[in-house]
Amino acid sequence: MTLLKDPGLSKPETDPVAVAIRLRPPVRSGVTERFAPSDPPKGWDLAAHPRVARILRSRKFQFALILPNQIIFWLVIGLGLLGTVVPGLNFGTAITWYIWFCLVFVMMVAVGRAWCVMCPFGGFAEWIQRRTFWQRTQRRFGLGRKLPEPIARYGFLLSVGAFLLLTWIEEYFNIAGPGNPWATSFMVLGIVGSALVFFLVFERRTFCRYVCPLTALIGTVGAMGSVAGFRTRDRQVCLDCKTKDCMRGGVNGYGCPWYTWPGSADSNLTCGLCSECFKGCPEGNIGLYVQKPLTSVIAPTRRRADVAWAVALLWGLVLYQQFNATNVFATLDGWLNRVTGLAYPNPVDYIGFIALIALVMAGIVKAAERGLSRRDLDPALAVRLAPYPAPAATHLVTSGLALSSGLALSPGLALSSGPGTRPSVNFMSRTSRFRMYFLPLMYGLIPVVGADYFARQLPKFLQHASRIVPAIGHLFGSGSTSSALYNTRLMSDPGIVMVQVAVIALGMFASMWASWKISGRDLTWISRRPLAARAVAVALPLACGLVAAVLYVIMHAAD
Amino acid sequence: MTLLQPTVGPTPIARTPHVTVLTDRCAGCQECVIRCPTGALTMDLGAWVAVADDNRCVGCRQCVRTCPFSAIEVDGPLVVAPREAAAYHQVAELAGNLEETRQGFPTWTAVLAETERCLACPDPTCVRGCPVHNDIPSFIAAVHRGDLDEAHRVLRLTSFLPDICSRVCDQALQCEGACTWSLAGGAPVAIGAIERFITDNAPVPALQAGPGRGSGLSVAVVGSGPAGIGAAFELVRAGAEVTVFEKDVRPGGLLRWGIPSFTLPRQVAERPWGQLRAAGVRLVSGHEVTPERVEELRSSYDAVILAHGAGQALRLPVEGGDLGGVVDATEFLNQARTALIQSRPCSLLAQSEERRGSRPATVLVLGAGNTAMDVARLARRLGAGVICVDWMDRRFAPVRPDELEEAGHEGVDIRFGRTLTRLEGDAGQVERAVLSTTRQVSAAKLPEVTGAEVTRENVDLVVMAMGYRIEAAFPGVAPDKPITRRVPELVDRRFQASGLLAGGSPAFARHRPVGELSLTREIGRMSAGLGTADRVFVAGDALVGPSTVVEAMAQGRRAAEAVLDR
């Protein structure tokens, strides 16, 4: 005898305890205003097209994107260890350093986290964690821990640290330029191995969100991208949802591996484009939106401290990579190596230079803040008023309502009230006058920093990209160092420098424009001299762009 | 709810709970905000993260359990008064005494103090823990207002047996174990005692029959126990015509013969059938339905609900098990109950009187579950000495500690880690039991008979009370073994969102996983509504194997709902 249906697959339409559910209403007032600046236009939903929706709904969608990269990178590992030691002829080094590392930046700028959705490192480890290539399973391999809060509160900074370390290793072993096949293999194996360990110890994509050396770079530079990510179609539906399948996992989709809720995403910073939320939402309330370029730089209401410091540190790193191609650096580094007994890159000038640049940026901002900010403002309250258009917020400030912290304010502002109410104060949530300037100004630098990273890769691409053909041929016994394409450059050195300067100029102007927009919303109403604040905001990327451009001229297309 | 000073012991302490929102991981989904019982959480619109008011927080950790990203932490005490304990009536003179031992709250003061502890959670986990999903916060609030009629009205939406369930349910594994205070590691609201207070102080309202969506339907129910009662209740109040077939002369099933009066007084046990018959349910008693008859019933009625229970007693296949004086629990319970009601000796004990003279009889009870404890305590009231043996380790035995304690108070000698190896007798009557020790290393493993210590006990009666199993009464339409209540890998998201599953295995619930238990019960309840053949449903112990009164009632109701929905 069997039951007529499987009880495990039957789900009552109504919650069996519906009569006793008396949930509090979610906070709705002020929600529309808060997200209006960053919500993409309703009609820009790619998933509204049935064919796109069908692809996104397929559980094989992401597998199909990851598989080719998975094959390539295992080839990279294998060929790095077993193939030719000539970097230009080794497919592993050629594809990684001449093509991939440039292409990743194009993807960041154009799309955002396009690489993350097809990444073979996280993808491989996730297959093992989930015990499947694409199915929706409930059993997982691993311990499923959460990243401890004392570490997690620093957000992307862990990734920045990993990237700094990886770059130092890359410089030390000269892995990337012109390329060291053996070292390339071990580097890739190291990343895959680290990813696997993290995926087996921690839940979801903790590695991708917090630790991956590239995630901070991709997340910040990717804010320039034109893909907004998976966002809610109707936020009220999300607020009414009692199960949040997009976060916990539903029948057809895993809970968001990136700890992102489509209902509150206001940038593409942490959307890995995996489409799990799209598959899992029982209401079909999630779309894949596109946005104007730089929207995720300009529009977010909540600016993150880890992103701001990541920008400052990454700016320091890319300047280091330019500076270390100059004679001045060679002299300094040589002296330090003699004094410390270490080799290139000397950790002292490596860390010291990067930290110095970051602190210089912070110092500039601090000076601007001291000179410009209104002294009558409570930073903790001002941050909460930030979502509102500057005139409204200014009115609230000048009318005295915002001067007393902890007061409930006018209708539409759902602020916490009561003497005991306080947000948790940690690195991510701390408020200060300095941060009220530092965060927006660093966001404004994202385009010029991203452009600098891209420009930094251009010599490898423009000088050596054509070697990919003989490298592939070499696998089949035909390519060699005397092949025509092996010695063919796509551009001369002067041409490369011009392209680099042009890229920097593009990034610089994009940054200046973004900073102008950002300062108009976020800085004018907290500054005694609003126009001066905007001028400073625009001058900063201009100065950064000029510095980078001059360095490229000095570098003479060094790779 | 009145906020009280946090207490640990009699002296209030100054510390309040402290809530930390992990702002990196908090996505502002407001799952915690909508579920906070005290409204201590709201939103910081600027940062779009939850913010907490520590002064309003009572430390229940509901937010921690419900957060999808584990982005909130609470440390500090539970801000709640100590739990009021319900009274226990220690019987001075056991012999022939059937007075109820468990008491409810004696006064309004006591019950009001306990209702104060209820947080009226927005997504109440206690309701999910209750097999029949009583709206517990509502009836507690009604008691708090002093409105027992309203409390009964709320209870009647889901339960026809509040007076019974409040006495016999193991609340620690159900509503109380799932209470938010319990999940937070504290003492839950005494939900069972509050429900008992309602039924002690306001009579259970009469059952009003239809008309309703069941009008015109005619349904046959086989079995008059809790599952049959639940089905009949649901059907008759919807206006259906209900005929219940019961093989015994008197209805009630387990309620009548399985639970002694000192736990479930007779007038309470008989109340449901009195009201059902008054509402028009037709009872055909002394009528056993055979498998062939089921087909007839299916053609004569619009639907058939099989609620015939799991009546086959388990017997230990042991040497000497066929001696006289070795009986199963059903036989002993029936005989003992009749003897006590009629104030005469029990015939099962009288068999050995000649041999033992004036020495009181010694009864050996195998098992330590509900039935075994009832058997043992009845035997004590018959003047016998009682030894209870259970082969499981005390640490792993799924027994009710309150029943063990009550039995111990009444002089029952309970021995864990022992098994019966053989019985020895004379002239066809049992005289001695040979017991061996067992060893059990973990809850997951069955005990092993070590035989390290062998004892011989003189016994006059052996009662095998190791439980029951389903009989293959209706092949093809009713299971001959319990259905598998496997919780699906993807659990109901609503249960998960409530935070019940994240509550783990609270100490009050005897370290049992209350969330998983509630899900398995829910599977059983849903299964009762799925049917086994066209217009045939099975509910209660007959479907899931020996379980509880409240689960059986819930399944009976669910089967009836399925009939009404067709």
Side-chain angles (χ1 to χ4, degrees):
Chain A
M1 180 240 79
T2 54
L3 294 169
L4 293 182
K5 279 186 222 171
D6 182 345
L9 298 176
S10 302
K11 181 181 155 193
E13 294 290 330
T14 314
D15 192 339
V17 307
V19 67
I21 303 288
R22 295 174 189 91
L23 297 173
R24 293 180 182 277
V27 170
R28 292 184 205 270
S29 69
V31 168
T32 305
E33 297 91 332
R34 197 243 180 245
F35 286 101
S38 54
D39 277 347
K42 289 287 173 240
W44 292 23
D45 176 7
L46 298 178
H49 298 278
R51 197 164 289 175
V52 174
R54 198 161 45 243
I55 292 170
L56 293 175
R57 205 161 281 124
S58 167
R59 285 223 57 87
K60 296 178 187 164
F61 153 70
Q62 197 177 9
F63 173 80
L65 289 176
I66 295 173
L67 186 63
N69 291 318
Q70 196 69 238
I71 294 170
I72 290 171
F73 272 88
W74 282 106
L75 269 177
V76 165
I77 292 170
L79 291 171
L81 294 172
L82 303 173
T84 174
V85 298
V86 179
L89 268 188
N90 189 297
F91 176 79
T93 39
I95 194 76
T96 304
W97 302 119
Y98 305 158
I99 308 288
W100 172 72
F101 210 52
C102 217
L103 206 59
V104 158
F105 287 95
V106 174
M107 285 196 282
M108 283 184 222
V109 172
V111 176
R113 281 192 181 270
W115 175 250
C116 297
V117 72
M118 61 180 77
C119 175
F121 311 129
F124 171 74
E126 193 171 64
W127 291 344
I128 294 176
Q129 183 195 66
R130 291 179 176 173
R131 298 165 68 159
T132 181
F133 286 121
W134 60 73
Q135 286 171 356
R136 168 69 170 121
T137 62
Q138 296 300 319
R139 276 183 241 161
R140 142 203 90 205
F141 253 139
L143 303 175
R145 295 263 159 84
K146 291 158 189 46
L147 194 66
E149 202 275 337
I151 303 173
R153 69 172 65 148
Y154 292 100
F156 284 135
L157 293 185
L158 199 60
S159 164
V160 173
F163 188 57
L164 295 181
L165 177 65
L166 193 68
T167 305
W168 186 89
I169 292 172
E170 180 269 313
E171 294 279 351
Y172 184 84
F173 290 100
N174 197 21
I175 298 177
N180 180 325
W182 193 81
T184 299
S185 288
F186 274 99
M187 189 198 77
V188 175
L189 266 175
I191 297 174
V192 171
S194 311
L196 191 57
V197 166
F198 270 85
F199 270 79
L200 293 179
V201 172
F202 297 101
E203 61 168 18
R204 306 188 195 229
R205 281 203 173 213
T206 295
F207 175 80
C208 302
R209 168 75 192 252
Y210 292 99
V211 184
C212 171
L214 288 179
T215 196
L217 187 64
I218 295 177
T220 50
V221 176
M224 300 166 65
S226 297
V227 173
F230 287 93
R231 306 278 187 98
T232 179
R233 286 175 170 153
D234 182 341
R235 188 163 285 101
Q236 298 305 325
V237 172
C238 287
L239 287 172
D240 288 332
C241 177
K242 309 291 187 298
T243 53
K244 302 296 192 295
D245 297 56
C246 54
M247 303 168 86
R248 295 191 171 96
V251 175
N252 298 313
Y254 290 87
C256 179
W258 292 81
Y259 293 101
T260 298
W261 181 45
S264 67
D266 60 0
S267 75
N268 61 4
L269 190 74
T270 53
C271 176
L273 301 175
C274 64
S275 76
E276 292 294 342
C277 57
F278 181 82
K279 296 185 219 309
C281 177
E283 305 296 330
N285 192 47
I286 297 176
L288 176 61
Y289 286 87
V290 292
Q291 61 186 9
K292 291 183 199 166
L294 302 181
T295 300
S296 289
V297 172
I298 298 166
T301 307
R302 177 188 175 183
R303 299 200 186 275
R304 296 168 56 109
D306 60 337
V307 170
W309 281 106
V311 170
L313 289 166
L314 290 171
W315 174 234
L317 175 62
V318 74
L319 276 188
Y320 173 88
Q321 290 183 310
Q322 292 181 267
F323 185 55
N324 77 357
T326 64
N327 294 330
V328 173
F329 174 84
T331 307
L332 172 64
D333 195 65
W335 174 78
L336 267 175
N337 290 336
R338 282 194 300 276
V339 165
T340 60
L342 299 170
Y344 169 85
N346 192 292
V348 174
D349 64 33
Y350 181 75
I351 297 294
F353 184 89
I354 294 168
L356 178 66
I357 295 297
L359 289 172
V360 164
M361 303 306 289
I364 293 171
V365 172
K366 183 68 180 172
E369 177 266 306
R370 292 307 269 286
L372 296 171
S373 76
R374 299 173 56 148
R375 311 321 284 182
D376 58 346
L377 214 55
D378 177 350
L381 198 61
V383 163
R384 294 174 183 183
L385 290 171
Y388 304 97
T394 304
H395 165 71
L396 287 163
V397 168
T398 55
S399 66
L401 288 173
L403 296 180
S404 310
S405 60
L407 284 181
L409 299 178
S410 57
L413 296 180
L415 296 175
S416 309
S417 61
T421 306
R422 60 177 193 273
S424 308
V425 178
N426 55 35
F427 168 79
M428 201 65 78
S429 62
R430 197 176 306 127
T431 53
S432 66
R433 287 180 208 283
F434 167 71
R435 281 192 171 198
M436 288 173 64
Y437 283 81
F438 187 67
L439 271 54
L441 288 174
M442 289 301 106
Y443 267 70
L445 289 184
I446 287 174
V448 70
V449 172
D452 203 354
Y453 270 94
F454 180 53
R456 190 69 193 89
Q457 310 310 316
L458 282 174
K460 287 195 190 66
F461 178 79
L462 294 171
Q463 291 168 355
H464 307 307
S466 57
R467 290 180 175 177
I468 193 68
V469 176
I472 293 173
H474 185 74
L475 291 173
F476 302 101
S478 63
S480 73
T481 53
S482 32
S483 302
L485 285 174
Y486 186 85
N487 297 301
T488 300
R489 298 160 59 105
L490 295 177
M491 204 170 273
S492 62
D493 282 354
I496 291 172
V497 172
M498 282 172 55
V499 171
Q500 288 177 312
V501 171
V503 166
I504 290 294
L506 208 61
M508 180 184 74
F509 286 121
S511 262
M512 291 169 68
W513 182 79
S515 297
W516 177 256
K517 301 285 281 185
I518 288 170
S519 60
R521 190 188 77 181
D522 295 350
L523 298 185
T524 50
W525 74 285
I526 61 172
S527 302
R528 300 196 293 274
R529 289 144 61 194
L531 202 54
R534 296 190 90 174
V536 167
V538 171
L540 194 57
L542 173 64
C544 291
L546 289 174
V547 166
V550 166
L551 280 171
Y552 278 123
V553 170
I554 296 171
M555 282 165 66
H556 297 303
D559 65 356
Chain B
M1 176 202 150
T2 304
L3 290 175
L4 302 170
Q5 288 300 314
T7 59
V8 174
T11 310
I13 56 175
R15 215 156 63 93
T16 56
H18 175 59
V19 183
T20 303
V21 176
L22 311 185
T23 47
D24 173 67
R25 269 208 291 272
C26 176
C29 68
Q30 302 198 50
E31 288 287 275
C32 56
V33 173
I34 64 177
R35 290 186 173 80
C36 179
T38 61
L41 289 162
T42 184
M43 288 295 292
D44 180 332
L45 276 188
W48 198 259
V49 293
V51 286
D53 183 349
D54 283 350
N55 289 331
R56 296 176 73 105
C57 177
V58 292
C60 71
R61 276 90 170 152
Q62 189 85 295
C63 51
V64 175
R65 291 189 294 271
T66 193
C67 179
F69 287 162
S70 306
I72 193 163
E73 295 173 345
V74 178
D75 61 88
L78 304 182
V79 184
V80 65
R83 172 177 159 120
E84 296 277 333
Y88 176 77
H89 172 55
Q90 183 83 47
V91 176
E93 179 57 52
L94 266 182
N97 191 325
L98 289 175
E99 283 174 20
E100 190 174 7
T101 53
R102 293 176 196 160
Q103 307 293 299
F105 286 124
T107 63
W108 271 99
T109 307
V111 77
L112 286 176
E114 192 58 25
T115 58
E116 280 280 333
R117 300 176 77 246
C118 176
L119 289 170
C121 299
D123 191 348
T125 44
C126 55
V127 179
R128 295 190 190 274
C130 172
V132 78
H133 305 311
N134 286 328
D135 186 353
I136 295 166
S138 279
F139 78 64
I140 291 180
V143 174
H144 191 64
R145 294 192 301 270
D147 189 347
L148 296 186
D149 289 338
E150 171 63 12
H152 264 304
R153 187 198 67 77
V154 170
L155 277 167
R156 179 50 62 88
L157 292 174
T158 42
S159 172
F160 186 51
L161 304 175
D163 45 355
I164 294 172
C165 292
S166 59
R167 285 172 162 83
V168 305
C169 273
D170 188 359
Q171 288 90 357
L173 299 186
Q174 296 173 170
C175 52
E176 293 184 13
C179 170
T180 199
W181 291 126
S182 165
L183 299 178
V189 175
I191 298 167
I194 295 173
E195 188 184 19
R196 169 83 184 262
F197 183 85
I198 298 167
T199 61
D200 280 352
N201 290 277
V204 181
L207 180 55
Q208 304 293 329
R213 61 191 178 123
S215 296
L217 274 179
S218 174
V219 183
V221 178
V222 178
S224 68
I229 289 172
F233 156 68
E234 195 66 36
L235 288 165
V236 80
R237 71 173 173 170
E241 201 178 287
V242 185
T243 305
V244 177
F245 297 88
E246 167 57 49
K247 69 179 179 192
D248 287 342
V249 172
R250 309 239 311 257
L254 188 107
L255 296 180
R256 186 181 57 80
W257 61 260
I259 305 176
S261 302
F262 52 79
T263 297
L264 184 64
R266 197 152 58 111
Q267 67 272 25
V268 176
E270 290 174 352
R271 192 271 313 155
W273 267 108
Q275 290 188 339
L276 282 172
R277 291 171 91 162
V281 173
R282 184 170 151 249
L283 174 69
V284 180
S285 57
H287 182 106
E288 181 164 357
V289 173
T290 59
E292 299 74 29
R293 183 96 166 92
V294 171
E295 205 44 50
E296 277 179 46
L297 291 176
R298 196 144 68 118
S299 49
S300 309
Y301 291 85
D302 295 308
V304 177
I305 297 177
L306 301 174
H308 50 282
Q312 189 173 41
L314 295 174
R315 290 184 69 103
L316 185 67
V318 68
E319 183 188 334
D322 54 352
L323 288 168
V326 181
V327 299
D328 63 47
T330 309
E331 186 179 352
F332 179 84
L333 286 168
N334 276 317
Q335 297 271 5
R337 186 174 51 83
T338 307
L340 284 166
I341 289 171
Q342 296 175 357
S343 300
R344 60 167 175 78
C346 176
S347 57
L348 292 174
L349 294 176
Q351 291 169 2
S352 59
E353 200 171 344
E354 197 180 308
R355 177 170 50 84
R356 59 185 162 81
S358 59
R359 169 179 69 78
T362 300
V363 176
L364 175 67
V365 180
L366 304 186
N370 303 116
T371 306
M373 290 300 105
D374 288 339
V375 164
R377 295 170 71 191
L378 272 176
R380 288 290 297 138
R381 282 159 172 78
L382 290 169
V386 181
I387 302 170
C388 246
V389 299
D390 190 287
W391 75 327
M392 297 189 81
D393 188 302
R394 172 70 183 92
R395 295 169 295 168
F396 311 129
V399 297
R400 282 183 63 164
D402 53 343
E403 292 191 341
L404 281 185
E405 192 180 340
E406 289 163 9
H409 282 316
E410 293 177 1
V412 176
D413 177 5
I414 307 170
R415 304 178 193 178
F416 286 93
R418 299 285 187 279
T419 190
L420 176 67
T421 306
R422 67 174 180 278
L423 293 168
E424 297 169 351
D426 186 35
Q429 278 296 123
V430 69
E431 285 195 351
R432 276 173 309 282
V434 179
L435 305 175
S436 301
T437 51
T438 62
R439 188 182 62 189
Q440 186 178 14
V441 296
S442 73
K445 292 192 177 323
L446 287 177
E448 299 169 4
V449 180
T450 64
E453 239 179 79
V454 174
T455 53
R456 281 181 167 71
E457 300 286 346
N458 293 323
V459 298
D460 303 296
L461 181 69
V462 177
V463 181
M464 296 194 176
M466 294 115 56
Y468 295 88
R469 65 163 158 235
I470 295 174
E471 306 171 85
F474 302 106
V477 288
D480 55 0
K481 57 179 190 273
I483 60 159
T484 303
R485 287 188 285 174
R486 191 184 66 250
V487 175
E489 286 187 338
L490 180 65
V491 299
D492 190 316
R493 302 287 100 183
R494 295 166 297 199
F495 275 70
Q496 189 176 25
S498 73
L500 176 59
L501 298 172
S505 305
F508 189 87
R510 307 199 290 274
H511 302 287
R512 301 282 298 278
V514 287
E516 287 178 27
L517 290 175
S518 76
L519 282 171
T520 54
R521 289 191 292 260
E522 194 61 19
I523 294 284
R525 195 183 73 86
M526 286 165 52
S527 299
L530 296 177
T532 55
D534 184 35
R535 295 177 299 115
V536 177
F537 299 84
V538 183
D541 291 2
L543 179 68
V544 299
S547 63
T548 60
V549 167
V550 65
E551 284 182 71
M553 177 184 59
Q555 289 170 30
R557 282 195 55 227
R558 183 71 194 98
E561 281 169 9
V563 169
L564 294 168
D565 285 342
R566 288 172 65 87

